[in-house]
Amino acid sequence: MTVPAVGGPGGRPPQPPLVQLLTPEGERVEHPDYSLDVTPDELRAFYRDLVLVRRVDAEATALQRQGELGLWASLLGQEAAQVGSGRALAPQDYVFPTYREHGVAWCRDVDPVTLLGLYRGVNLGGWDPAEHNFHLYTIVIGSQTLHATGYAMGVQRDGAVGTGDPARDTAVIAYFGDGATSQGDVNEAFVFASVNNAPVVFFCQNNQWAISEPNERQTRVPLYQRAAGFGFPGLRVDGNDVLAVHAVTKAALDRARRGEGPTFVEAFTYRMGAHTTSDDPTRYRIEAEVEEWKLKDPIARVKALLARTGQAGEEFFAEVEAEADRLAGHVRGACLAMPDPEPVSMFDHAYRDPHPLVEEERAWFAEYHAGFEPAGLEQAGAVAAGEARR
């Protein structure tokens, strides 16, 4: 189904058509270009993913409010965009995330606890990117699109594209938000990807608010249409429809693996919460807009489909909720048990090999920090007393 253009609340401009396979009411619809056959087991698995990812997000938000995390970037409302695309990836595909792709991390088997370590300030990432084919979170807005494009060009030169071997052919996906499309890095990545026919999917989660700036302050045309100017296809999908996102992303990844170049996917969704826990969205957006998007909840529509078609009952839903509670308990307990790192360890991974400047700075910092230990403070006090007597 292609959803027609509609006007937005608060005088927001009409939105263009988008690919949809599951309506907000939980009804399956067809699309002429994108189809998806989903078994009952697969549909239940999508629902489970969505619920568990949201529960982790809620627990992390609570931990931050209780002073256990320095910051948290919530994905509330964007679960379908992340799970639908994340489950379309092949094992050999490589992911370049922003700092909000907790649902994609879940799909790549990254323990949610390691995500919290970064926001608690006890590690610099916590997971091995090579083990999960999931890069470390990127804080600098948009820079990961260049990294993804370069990696994709490397895959291309390694001969891992267009071979016809489904276990070898590789695609790369770069996640970013609507605000990042205003960054020069993103547009440069589009140029390099296009002229090199790189096997990369640019996946934009358009949650309509780049912190406090709405889309109309970012662009005069729908974001997906920008791709045409760089010479590769772009399309808009209902980002709250896990089935449509899965179908569209799978098609884009398949295209990249065949050697047909990049695709721009705009997942049109909504950030239900704050940009991060340091943000107050009530200062810049109206409540009516939030209430409208509550009716498009990605989890509710899958649950409605499962219940109405008899593919799941109350026992299944209760089991998932119980699993979500256990997962939240695991995340909370592991977060609180994280040991504080040795302060000097921040120098350990500045470079791969020893570097004289880093070693000099490490030695200075170790000496400086030792001055705050009891013995160091006692020695400093004695020195100060001696200076006073003179």
Side-chain angles (χ1 to χ4, degrees):
M1 178 182 181
T2 300
V3 180
V6 293
R12 298 285 287 274
Q15 300 300 332
L18 72 169
V19 178
Q20 187 179 83
L21 298 179
L22 182 62
T23 71
E25 295 75 30
E27 296 181 3
R28 278 300 308 267
V29 291
E30 298 298 324
H31 190 277
D33 299 319
Y34 299 95
S35 61
L36 187 67
D37 293 325
V38 184
T39 67
D41 285 344
E42 290 170 335
L43 189 60
R44 287 190 289 267
F46 275 132
Y47 178 81
R48 173 180 175 271
D49 283 337
L50 295 171
V51 171
L52 296 185
V53 166
R54 178 171 290 185
R55 189 67 177 85
V56 169
D57 183 68
E59 195 64 30
T61 299
L63 284 164
Q64 193 283 328
R65 296 307 190 200
Q66 294 158 11
E68 301 298 340
L69 300 180
L71 188 75
W72 182 250
S74 175
L75 57 63
L76 184 62
Q78 299 177 218
E79 297 89 353
Q82 296 194 16
V83 169
S85 59
R87 289 303 182 195
L89 294 162
Q92 69 272 18
D93 294 339
Y94 202 94
V95 179
F96 285 86
T98 68
Y99 45 77
R100 199 187 302 275
E101 270 66 64
H102 320 313
V104 186
W106 171 263
C107 294
R108 298 306 269 181
D109 296 324
V110 176
D111 188 337
V113 173
T114 61
L115 304 178
L116 271 62
L118 176 65
Y119 289 96
R120 189 172 170 86
V122 302
N123 62 44
L124 300 177
W127 64 89
D128 181 356
E131 179 184 352
H132 301 278
N133 276 12
F134 185 81
H135 200 63
L136 296 179
Y137 275 5
T138 303
I139 308 300
V140 179
I141 303 300
S143 65
Q144 72 278 9
T145 57
L146 283 170
H147 305 157
T149 300
Y151 190 98
M153 291 166 62
V155 166
Q156 187 182 54
R157 285 151 178 74
D158 287 342
V161 179
T163 70
D165 181 356
R168 177 174 173 77
D169 288 339
T170 302
V172 179
I173 187 167
Y175 288 89
F176 53 97
D178 45 292
T181 62
S182 296
Q183 293 290 109
D185 293 27
V186 174
N187 291 274
E188 291 167 10
F190 289 171
V191 172
F192 276 96
S194 177
V195 300
N196 288 280
N197 207 44
V200 58
V201 175
F202 295 108
F203 192 94
C204 175
Q205 292 175 82
N206 180 359
N207 65 26
Q208 303 179 63
W209 288 97
I211 306 184
S212 59
E213 293 294 321
N215 275 180
E216 54 263 32
R217 296 291 295 274
Q218 300 286 326
T219 181
R220 296 298 298 272
V221 300
L223 294 176
Y224 75 94
Q225 292 182 3
R226 289 187 176 186
F230 293 92
F232 55 90
L235 71 156
R236 175 178 276 193
V237 62
D238 183 347
N240 284 21
D241 176 356
V242 70
L243 302 184
V245 171
H246 185 75
V248 164
T249 309
K250 183 178 184 303
L253 291 168
D254 286 344
R255 182 175 179 274
R257 296 190 202 101
R258 292 194 299 266
E260 298 175 18
T263 303
F264 183 106
V265 175
E266 178 190 356
F268 193 71
T269 180
Y270 195 80
R271 193 191 78 215
M272 295 301 294
H275 174 71
T276 69
T277 46
S278 65
D279 172 43
D280 178 9
T282 64
R283 294 171 61 90
Y284 54 80
R285 68 184 187 187
I286 60 175
E287 188 62 26
E289 188 172 283
V290 179
E291 291 301 317
E292 177 185 324
W293 277 89
K294 284 181 180 179
L295 302 176
K296 303 175 183 179
D297 184 77
I299 298 178
R301 65 175 73 184
V302 178
K303 184 175 183 178
L305 176 63
L306 285 168
R308 190 179 62 256
T309 57
Q311 297 179 72
E314 289 305 318
E315 181 178 355
F316 167 76
F317 297 128
E319 288 174 357
V320 173
E321 291 299 326
E323 183 181 5
D325 288 341
R326 291 193 298 271
L327 177 60
H330 161 69
V331 167
R332 171 172 286 273
C335 177
L336 298 180
M338 288 179 180
D340 291 337
E342 289 296 326
V344 76
S345 68
M346 66 180 174
F347 296 94
D348 290 350
H349 303 292
Y351 292 97
R352 186 189 67 176
D353 300 317
H355 190 284
L357 178 59
V358 174
E359 294 307 310
E360 179 184 341
E361 291 175 343
R362 182 203 300 270
W364 176 89
F365 182 79
E367 181 180 359
Y368 170 76
H369 196 265
F372 293 95
E373 299 296 330
L377 290 173
E378 182 179 341
Q379 181 181 6
V383 171
E387 291 291 336
R389 284 193 295 271
R390 287 202 295 271

